[in-house]
Amino acid sequence: MKSKLTAVALAAIVVAGTAAAAFPASAAPKAEPTRCHTADLKAGFAMGDDAKPEMEQTEKQTQAYIWFTNQSERTCTLSGFAGVDMIGAQETDGTWSLARSSKTPGKLVLEQGDTVDFSITLLPVAKSTPQKEKFVPAKFLVTPPNETEHFTLKWPFGGQILKQDGATRPATYLNPVGL
């Protein structure tokens, strides 16, 4: 009986050893990164010459860009649209929650230190535009996709935007992260 148990035990060791050799630890499936949380990120307006919106012109739309950088020690993902609420400088401006474009968002993987941005399309207007038709941005409340906590960014570019906060297809809107 003793030799039969020894044979079974040796067979189990050989099978276990074969399985370990067939699937090295480095080939084990890795956990997918989870989404980025507000605390994982920092945010700001892109300030390079080619990234600044042309707020002094009033004949066409222009873009401003907001970036997110993964400042955590882990890889995380972003997918979707940020929430963007503009707070106006004029007493009559109030808060304007920006509409989303019809573009389809993708899923982005951000390793530690990676940065991704999204654009906000704006329609600037002349200073001579009647006050009730213009929105003068002061601050942007920017919430990363699928989060509830926001960043507060001071609007650094000046100018004013055609007020269309109640429009069904406003000329000022935002695109998904990464587009």
Side-chain angles (χ1 to χ4, degrees), residues 26-106:
S26 62
K30 294 183 181 179
E32 288 290 316
T34 58
R35 71 181 167 89
C36 301
H37 299 285
T38 305
D40 297 325
L41 304 168
K42 57 183 176 178
F45 282 103
M47 299 299 290
D49 287 337
D50 59 341
K52 291 181 184 177
E54 299 175 69
M55 296 304 291
E56 67 285 346
Q57 64 79 31
T58 60
E59 309 206 358
K60 62 181 181 176
Q61 291 170 304
T62 187
Q63 282 77 37
Y65 295 88
I66 295 176
W67 51 263
F68 292 121
T69 297
N70 179 3
Q71 65 177 2
S72 73
E73 294 182 8
R74 67 182 185 89
T75 299
C76 61
T77 63
L78 281 177
S79 179
F81 289 84
V84 177
D85 293 329
M86 294 190 303
I87 298 175
Q90 302 177 117
E91 198 172 297
T92 57
D93 286 340
T95 301
W96 179 357
S97 296
L98 294 184
R100 297 173 173 181
S101 73
S102 60
K103 294 182 179 176
T104 304

